Amino acid sequence: QSVLTQPPSVSGAPGQRVTVSCTGSSSNIGAGYDVHWYQQLPGTAPKLLIYGNSNRPSGVPDRFSGSKSGASASLAITGLQAEDEADYYCQSYDSSLSGYWVFGGGTKLTVL
Amino acid sequence: QLQLQESGPGLVKPSETLSLTCTVSGVSISSNTYYWGWIRQPPGKGLEWIGSIYYSGSTYYIPSLKSRVTISVDTSKNQFSLKLNSVTAADTAVYYCASGPPGFFDSWGQGTLVTVSS
């Protein structure tokens, strides 16, 4: 069980907007540590989608956006496309114990 | 362009040591821009950060594996390595090497499946 909680699954029809939540605590997101998001297409390595809460690497469409508030963060995908069907992971830093990087449990996005 | 490639045995016996190497191309592993890390993903499950190393040699490990893990750098070969000892079936996973600025990973290897079985 990860210290960052994500819904196991979300779904939406093509063209719709969906959001994926990532809920942490006072030792990670709530402590001010940045949140990063990754997309993992079936059978492939994860790909960085959002870094530093809301920044997109070069080449990532502006349909993807990130936000953070308090101890939670969200990934929003607008204009949903079939190729967006993938697993999405949030990632941050947790200061408990000796400190470590942590991933959320992942969310499976299904495009209906 | 930075590229990463994992290599190592795909099958390891229980209680033995898992050893993987990540070959870096396109940038010097001695660069002070990047952290170099290992992440694993058990079949059908989520991602787990294992540990990272900085060019200075500073290492960082997930507390749950700290007693069994060693990450090191070989600057002469532009590689970094993972050793995980006393493995069990629970260590069966796809192992990724990755790199990035402090805090996140913007380059990933393709991953290599390591199965722990006798």
Side-chain angles (χ1 to χ4, degrees):
Chain A
Q1 183 132 357
S2 176
V3 297
L4 302 181
T5 301
Q6 297 182 234
S9 63
V10 297
S11 63
Q16 285 189 333
R17 178 182 186 270
V18 297
T19 61
V20 180
S21 62
C22 176
T23 303
S25 67
S26 59
S27 63
N28 42 69
I29 300 174
Y33 295 108
D34 285 343
V35 179
H36 321 289
W37 291 91
Y38 301 85
Q39 177 193 59
Q40 186 176 33
L41 297 170
T44 69
K47 168 192 167 184
L48 181 68
L49 204 59
I50 297 288
Y51 67 95
N53 305 316
S54 59
N55 301 290
R56 283 186 308 276
S58 174
V60 173
D62 59 7
R63 301 186 297 106
F64 296 90
S65 63
S67 63
K68 173 188 160 185
S69 177
S72 295
S74 288
L75 171 71
I77 309 172
T78 59
L80 205 57
Q81 299 179 4
E83 55 262 37
D84 298 333
E85 187 159 294
D87 294 322
Y88 292 85
Y89 294 90
C90 61
Q91 181 239 315
S92 187
Y93 182 82
D94 193 286
S95 60
S96 64
L97 302 174
S98 54
Y100 60 103
W101 282 272
V102 62
F103 287 92
T107 298
K108 169 68 177 178
L109 168 62
T110 300
V111 180
L112 302 171
Chain B
Q1 181 182 352
L2 193 159
Q3 291 186 315
L4 304 159
Q5 178 67 58
E6 305 89 351
S7 59
L11 181 64
V12 180
K13 289 182 169 56
S15 81
E16 296 190 344
T17 297
L18 180 159
S19 295
L20 295 175
T21 296
C22 183
T23 300
V24 179
S25 58
V27 68
S28 170
I29 203 165
S30 299
S31 167
N32 63 3
T33 304
Y34 301 99
Y35 279 69
W36 310 97
W38 290 95
I39 296 102
R40 69 180 182 178
Q41 185 171 35
K45 296 188 178 181
L47 302 170
E48 179 180 52
W49 173 76
I50 299 171
S52 294
I53 188 167
Y54 193 42
Y55 83 104
S56 61
S58 298
T59 51
Y60 312 86
Y61 302 126
I62 188 170
S64 60
L65 296 176
K66 191 172 184 177
S67 64
R68 298 196 289 132
V69 174
T70 302
I71 297 176
S72 59
V73 166
D74 185 337
T75 55
S76 67
K77 296 181 179 179
N78 222 41
Q79 296 174 333
F80 64 105
S81 298
L82 169 71
K83 291 189 185 301
L84 179 65
N85 58 37
S86 304
V87 296
T88 70
D91 296 309
T92 293
V94 174
Y95 285 76
Y96 296 99
C97 61
S99 70
F104 61 91
F105 303 98
D106 59 4
S107 296
W108 293 67
Q110 64 185 26
T112 186
L113 175 62
V114 179
T115 301
V116 178
S117 174
S118 55

